[in-house]
Amino acid sequence: MTFDATSGTGWYGVSVSLFEDNSLVSFSQSVVHISVDNYIDDDLIDNNARIGLALPIGGGFGWGTIGYQLAQVLTLDSENDVVFLREVHGGTMTERERKMVESGIANSIGVAGGAGGAGGAGGAGGGCLPFTVIHALGKFPALDTMGKILSGGSGQVVGVKNVGILFAETAEWSESEIASLDFFDRVFVGSSWGKSMLVKAGFAEEKLGVFLQGVDKTVFGVGRGDAEGMGMDDRGLTETLRKMVSGKFVIFSGGKLERRKGQDIVLAAFKHFAKMHDDVFLLTNWQNDWVETVKGIDEGGVGVVGVPEYDAGRGGLMINEWMRDNGVEGGSALDVGRQTQGMLGRLVREFVDVGVFVSRCEGGTNLVLMETIGGGKLCIVGEGTGMVDVVEKICENGGCIVVGMGQGKGKGKEEGWREAKVADVVAEMEKVYVMGKEELGKIGRKGGELMWEWEVELHKMLEQI
């Protein structure tokens, strides 16, 4: 992309190709917003009326979805000006969504650079932004981040008040990690289970709150139509799927592929289930940009073999080939690859009969599970870790079905994980298969009505900051 000052402020497409010995090894596309003449003089801004977001905005993954929804609430329903301190993923947004974040982009110009360099405030530069900053915090064993919780250290953004949103995929906490968290004025944990594990480890309960993710019902709500741009399909995916699943019972599983999320259990269960019924279909959305976290998907002891290879040309994991290698034929399964929120909502509404989510560990409430329930689809939900909030609020009120989970086999980094038995998942699949679509729809709609929205939970959190 060539850009100069005459190009003007706006959104621009960027393609990046990485070659090694004249061979393509990686390819990516993105959309960036470039501002030319909107520089804001920081001295003219009331910093007490600003909130900085040190978490990504957009991008079709968990943190980006939280960032976007938080930005939307702050932009539309708050007296505070929002300032973006991390990347904005415009490529996955509709025109309406891009328009919504433009004020936050404008507010951010000159802020990070003026307070400690392009990497943000704080750290080596020693700067401190003169307003509250909300941080993305995580403890993810699969990424080997043990002991590396963000704490305002080198290269990190620091505000006069610092609030963390924390997702932890383990119950194991060291004294040094607890001390690092104590840097924050307040920490909101992504599930009741996560909070209880921190309290058990000795963190001050008075500094903790629970922040539950929500569902955007304009995208995933029961019976909604395709709003502007949200359900666009320029690759013929819906027509292909319509032919593949015609007359079949469709089971859906989503979330990035890794052993923690239990897709090996889902795949093994479906393989057994498909031997019992020739009219069933597995629809997945398992693509994972953090390729290193896929390692170990074949170590769950459920009969799944191998790890999906990464195809640099396609820019993704070869999940369909991996499913076939594990005995699930291409005519009975399809991974749809990366999709926008709007497109995924359309696929769930139009094609799915039942969702299955049996994560061994969730630091939060499992966003894809919540979105599937929000779309009015009955889900089989593992009763463990962060998903217990969904079980208690939705399943126990007649909006989804629970499958029991026993103690996980892991120790150390995997302390506190739970595990469903393949046979139990197959049994629940059989129950919903014979239930009939009318009853499935009744339970699914009940779940959709019970599912909470982002705005409610975000306002609860912001009121405590």
Side-chain angles (χ1 to χ4, degrees):
M1 181 190 76
T2 302
F3 180 85
D4 58 40
T6 64
S7 298
T9 297
W11 295 91
Y12 293 84
V14 178
S15 298
V16 178
S17 299
L18 178 64
F19 291 87
E20 184 175 307
D21 296 330
N22 294 320
S23 296
L24 178 69
V25 295
S26 182
F27 174 78
S28 66
Q29 292 180 309
S30 186
V31 176
V32 299
H33 187 278
I34 298 178
S35 298
V36 179
D37 53 6
N38 288 349
Y39 183 87
I40 292 178
D41 185 347
D42 216 41
D43 293 333
L44 301 179
I45 299 296
D46 177 8
N47 286 306
N48 290 323
R50 307 178 86 175
I51 292 182
L53 300 185
L55 64 166
I57 311 298
F61 57 97
W63 275 121
T65 300
I66 294 172
Y68 173 80
Q69 293 296 336
L70 184 52
Q72 180 169 245
V73 165
L74 287 169
T75 299
L76 300 178
D77 302 328
S78 172
E79 297 178 356
N80 301 97
D81 288 324
V82 62
V83 179
F84 298 150
L85 302 170
R86 290 278 302 276
E87 65 272 18
V88 177
H89 297 271
T92 60
M93 295 180 185
T94 65
E95 289 299 320
R96 179 183 61 83
E97 291 168 338
R98 291 177 188 170
K99 192 70 176 175
M100 194 282 298
V101 301
E102 285 178 357
S103 62
I105 293 173
N107 292 341
S108 307
I109 300 172
V111 172
C128 178
L129 294 171
F131 46 80
T132 296
V133 174
I134 300 176
H135 302 256
L137 308 180
K139 185 179 177 186
F140 310 126
L143 288 173
D144 196 25
T145 57
M146 307 299 283
K148 298 179 184 178
I149 298 171
L150 306 184
S151 58
S154 177
Q156 301 305 329
V157 178
V158 177
V160 292
K161 182 177 181 181
N162 295 279
V163 176
I165 299 176
L166 171 66
F167 291 84
E169 296 165 357
T170 177
E172 182 187 57
W173 290 94
S174 68
E175 290 184 5
S176 62
E177 290 168 342
I178 295 295
S180 294
L181 277 179
D182 200 45
F183 164 82
F184 295 93
D185 299 282
R186 196 76 194 273
V187 176
F188 291 90
V189 191
S191 65
S192 299
W193 172 80
K195 178 185 175 183
S196 68
M197 294 301 101
L198 268 176
V199 172
K200 184 178 179 180
F203 191 75
E205 188 169 5
E206 61 270 18
K207 293 183 72 172
L208 290 173
V210 174
F211 163 66
L212 300 182
Q213 300 170 98
V215 169
D216 183 349
K217 291 193 176 181
T218 68
V219 177
F220 291 95
V222 178
R224 65 159 299 283
D226 290 320
E228 165 257 332
M230 288 187 174
M232 289 179 63
D233 174 23
D234 58 1
R235 292 175 296 171
L237 176 60
T238 54
E239 188 58 35
T240 298
L241 260 179
R242 196 169 288 115
K243 294 176 182 177
M244 292 183 74
V245 306
S246 178
K248 295 188 176 181
F249 183 82
V250 180
I251 294 175
F252 173 70
S253 175
K256 60 184 185 293
L257 185 71
E258 55 179 283
R259 191 165 66 86
R260 175 184 65 84
K261 281 191 167 288
Q263 290 102 334
D264 56 329
I265 298 173
V266 175
L267 187 63
F270 180 80
K271 181 178 177 179
H272 285 285
F273 188 56
K275 291 178 180 177
M276 301 160 58
H277 305 283
D278 61 5
D279 62 344
V280 295
F281 190 93
L282 179 63
L283 180 67
T284 68
N285 180 225
W286 286 346
Q287 194 57 238
N288 187 349
D289 291 330
W290 292 269
V291 178
E292 62 270 32
T293 69
V294 182
K295 296 175 182 177
I297 191 68
D298 56 345
E299 298 174 4
V302 296
V304 168
V305 297
V307 176
E309 295 182 9
Y310 181 81
D311 186 324
R314 287 189 288 181
L317 296 168
M318 299 172 65
I319 294 174
N320 288 308
E321 292 82 350
W322 175 72
M323 289 195 290
R324 287 198 293 273
D325 290 344
N326 276 279
V328 176
E329 296 301 321
S332 61
L334 179 71
D335 185 86
V336 297
R338 296 182 187 87
Q339 298 295 331
T340 63
Q341 289 276 286
M343 190 61 197
L344 186 58
R346 178 180 176 182
L347 295 177
V348 167
R349 285 193 309 277
E350 188 169 343
F351 297 109
V352 172
D353 291 305
V354 172
V356 179
F357 297 86
V358 289
S359 300
R360 292 180 173 93
C361 181
E362 288 286 347
T365 42
N366 192 330
L367 185 54
V368 185
L369 159 66
M370 296 171 67
E371 290 167 343
T372 306
I373 293 176
K377 302 300 178 178
L378 184 151
C379 286
I380 298 169
V381 186
E383 189 177 21
T385 64
M387 295 190 298
V388 169
D389 286 303
V390 175
V391 169
E392 292 179 349
K393 294 176 182 293
I394 308 292
C395 298
E396 291 182 3
N397 289 294
C400 52
I401 292 176
V402 178
V403 61
M405 305 185 84
Q407 186 65 41
K409 304 181 183 73
K411 299 295 181 183
K413 295 179 181 181
E414 297 181 4
E415 186 70 33
W417 285 24
R418 309 285 290 176
E419 186 155 337
K421 294 180 179 178
V422 170
D424 291 344
V425 178
V426 174
E428 295 303 326
M429 288 179 174
E430 182 65 21
K431 286 180 184 178
V432 296
Y433 176 81
V434 300
M435 194 176 284
K437 295 206 173 187
E438 183 176 343
E439 183 65 16
L440 289 178
K442 181 180 177 181
I443 299 174
R445 287 189 295 274
K446 176 71 171 179
E449 293 167 0
L450 291 169
M451 181 53 67
W452 54 92
E453 298 187 63
W454 280 106
E455 185 177 6
V456 174
E457 295 301 321
L458 287 168
H459 278 302
K460 286 181 185 177
M461 180 183 72
L462 291 171
E463 288 169 2
Q464 299 178 60
I465 294 177

